[in-house]
Amino acid sequence: MVILIWICLLVDVAAAVFLLLSSMSSGQDAAGRGMVMLPILLLLGLAAISYYLMQKHSMGWSLAVSGLPVIVILYLLFISVT
């Protein structure tokens, strides 16, 4: 279960980094970059909470906190590819 939690944490952080890099490289104005910052902060916050819960040996809650954004990211990836 710990490996699954680490995978979810890595996906959350990778999605936050991808959003950050895509907002910096595109021709968005300040409002567009500002709207992208909330999901970035949420992803990083959930990853931090999940890591904290994992250190407190609450593996079920840690997986739930880090797994929910992963499910949403995978769904968005699925509908964007098909």
Side-chain angles (χ1 to χ4, degrees):
M1 183 184 260
V2 175
I3 295 172
L4 185 61
I5 294 170
W6 277 109
I7 290 171
C8 290
L9 282 172
L10 288 175
V11 169
D12 291 343
V13 172
V17 169
F18 173 76
L19 285 173
L20 182 67
L21 292 176
S22 68
S23 71
M24 296 295 180
S25 65
S26 66
Q28 293 183 356
D29 58 348
R33 283 191 302 268
M35 283 190 270
V36 174
M37 288 307 287
L38 180 62
I40 291 171
L41 292 175
L42 286 174
L43 284 168
L44 293 177
L46 287 173
I49 291 170
S50 177
Y51 181 75
Y52 173 76
L53 289 171
M54 188 171 59
Q55 296 303 315
K56 294 295 182 182
H57 302 289
S58 181
M59 300 299 176
W61 283 108
S62 177
L63 183 62
V65 167
S66 67
L68 184 64
V70 171
I71 292 171
V72 171
I73 290 166
L74 289 175
Y75 176 70
L76 291 173
L77 182 65
F78 174 74
I79 61 173
S80 68
V81 171
T82 56

